[in-house]
Amino acid sequence: MSQPQSLALLAPPAVHSSNDPDAFVTMLRSPWYSLVADLYDVIERTTGEHARSKGLKNLPFPLTTRTVTCPNAFGSDSEPVPVTVLGVDTYLPDSMQFALEYGCRLSPGGCFSILPSYRGEIPDETHLNQYTHSEAEIPGGLDDMISYVDGYVKALAGAVLDEHGDRIARLRGTTAHVERMAARGAPFERLTFEEAVRIVGDVDGCVRDEGSWRTLTRQGERLLMQRVDPFVWVDHFDSLAVPFYQAFGDDAGRTARNADLYFGLGEIVGGGERHSDVELLRKSMARHDVNEQEYAWYVRMRKDLPMVTAGFGMGIERFLMWVLSHDDIRDVPLISRLNEPAAFPAAVTRP
């Protein structure tokens, strides 16, 4: 499957930033978007099959939230997206993580969702401001989450190959990278953040250092994959570089019990273990300069219904961008919702 039969490779039509009123017709006629639509279907079906095989349930969640998750780390560049619904000020969800943690109290075997997430950021080659988010929360800790994700993404790779491998190889030139993931019997490589910094820190621009916290840049993520393995986990980041809800990774709270999985463009899966001790949660909120009153229900859930859980999120468009060996995520969504002019279906633009 990895060897193409033709060198005339399929490319997406140049429509994601077009003001052409006929752009949507071009998309509907494009073999690229026909393939993408079929791949979305494979991802959704396989996600449900894998999750249910592990005892997880799919629960219904609303598409608004009063409690946002992602902006609560000093290392986050995202902003919440405010909306008003029937006169009530609320937000579009940046993640279903808090709802999934809530759901674990009703479904102790874990739960999952595939729903849109919204981020207030300018889209580029690797970021969307509205994307399809595959998320799950499971009973257990960081190691359990990593084991679940290893099996999950390998199952996705296998399903993509089984159903559309020949088509992808013919239209995009190769499936070798997907085959490598699907055939990987052993767990993916795993490093601590400190080990990762030692491996790539000799190259300028690979580590962002803000004094009280550090993180890898996209350049650093890619160099790490080149020097270590095409599939690599990095865990135990600086605690201030990740959101307040990630459990401390050491007694002093300097690190977090979190992990990111890098392949393709870099980070595609991010997750971690949550604080199960309410006092440690409060300590983390104070360190992150988070107003506890805005998360009063979350604190009370930890106090009244303590539970050790861990979870993750994966942007499906990022996964498909990797599958298709493509370099611009803005060409993946079937209906564009970028913060830039679009002819049809109408997009919301920034003033």
Side-chain angles (χ1 to χ4, degrees):
M1 260 186 286
S2 60
Q3 296 301 316
Q5 300 300 312
S6 170
L7 295 179
L9 303 184
L10 175 67
V15 297
H16 73 247
S17 60
S18 173
N19 289 313
D20 181 358
D22 296 324
F24 80 100
V25 175
T26 302
M27 293 176 69
L28 291 174
R29 290 173 173 165
S30 167
W32 172 271
Y33 286 104
S34 176
L35 174 58
V36 169
D38 287 343
L39 291 173
Y40 270 113
D41 180 63
V42 173
I43 299 300
E44 183 159 358
R45 281 188 287 108
T46 306
T47 297
E49 290 166 1
H50 183 78
R52 292 185 180 95
S53 75
K54 302 296 183 182
L56 279 67
K57 296 179 180 178
N58 183 223
L59 301 181
F61 298 120
L63 282 180
T64 57
T65 181
R66 301 296 294 275
T67 316
V68 296
T69 59
C70 76
N72 300 304
F74 294 120
S76 173
D77 295 324
S78 297
E79 298 177 358
V81 180
V83 294
T84 300
V85 180
L86 299 176
V88 176
D89 292 334
T90 185
Y91 296 96
L92 296 175
D94 55 313
S95 166
M96 286 294 163
Q97 180 205 312
F98 286 164
L100 289 163
E101 289 190 55
Y102 177 95
C104 277
R105 272 71 182 174
L106 300 170
S107 175
C111 49
F112 73 100
S113 70
I114 297 180
L115 290 167
S117 281
Y118 306 83
R119 305 282 171 92
E121 58 188 340
I122 303 299
D124 58 26
E125 289 83 356
T126 61
H127 293 85
L128 292 171
N129 48 44
Q130 177 177 324
Y131 61 98
T132 314
H133 212 172
S134 176
E135 298 180 89
E137 194 77 15
I138 62 173
L142 179 64
D143 293 344
D144 300 297
M145 184 276 291
I146 288 176
S147 177
Y148 182 98
V149 173
D150 272 16
Y152 172 49
V153 296
K154 291 172 185 176
L156 292 181
V160 164
L161 290 171
D162 288 345
E163 298 195 34
H164 299 291
D166 290 337
R167 186 178 172 196
I168 296 168
R170 183 177 69 255
L171 297 175
R172 292 298 297 157
T174 184
T175 56
H177 55 303
V178 187
E179 292 171 33
R180 282 196 297 271
M181 175 180 281
R184 184 78 166 251
F188 296 136
E189 295 293 330
R190 183 172 169 182
L191 306 168
T192 66
F193 178 77
E194 288 295 342
E195 290 171 330
V197 168
R198 286 197 291 270
I199 291 170
V200 302
D202 62 309
V203 177
D204 289 343
C206 286
V207 180
R208 177 183 175 189
D209 189 340
E210 296 293 332
S212 59
W213 57 270
R214 301 158 298 163
T215 191
L216 296 181
T217 64
R218 184 74 71 213
Q219 176 187 347
E221 293 171 357
R222 290 174 172 170
L223 181 60
L224 188 69
M225 291 185 288
Q226 292 173 17
R227 290 182 170 182
V228 176
D229 193 85
F231 312 107
V232 58
W233 283 100
V234 175
D235 62 32
H236 288 76
F237 284 54
D238 293 344
S239 61
L240 287 179
V242 300
F244 70 88
Y245 47 75
Q246 305 287 31
F248 291 141
D250 60 272
D251 291 341
R254 287 187 296 266
T255 64
R257 221 170 293 165
N258 78 301
D260 287 352
L261 177 59
Y262 302 151
F263 58 97
L265 63 89
E267 182 223 338
I268 292 185
V269 180
E273 182 178 332
R274 320 309 183 191
H275 286 290
S276 56
D277 183 305
V278 69
E279 295 308 319
L280 290 178
L281 171 61
R282 285 177 166 141
K283 181 178 180 180
S284 180
M285 295 172 99
R287 284 188 176 184
H288 282 80
D289 196 24
V290 170
N291 183 353
E292 183 178 325
Q293 292 305 309
E294 295 179 1
Y295 296 85
W297 75 269
Y298 188 75
V299 174
R300 182 169 180 184
M301 183 174 71
R302 283 284 178 273
K303 179 177 179 291
D304 292 356
L305 296 101
M307 186 177 184
V308 177
T309 69
F312 70 92
M314 181 188 78
I316 289 179
E317 287 82 6
R318 282 192 176 184
F319 185 84
L320 292 180
M321 180 179 166
W322 169 75
V323 167
L324 293 167
S325 302
H326 191 51
D327 59 3
D328 196 327
I329 198 169
R330 293 169 293 187
D331 293 321
V332 177
L334 299 178
I335 297 177
S336 176
R337 284 293 183 265
L338 301 177
N339 285 344
E340 55 188 55
F344 180 86
V348 176
T349 59
R350 288 187 173 187

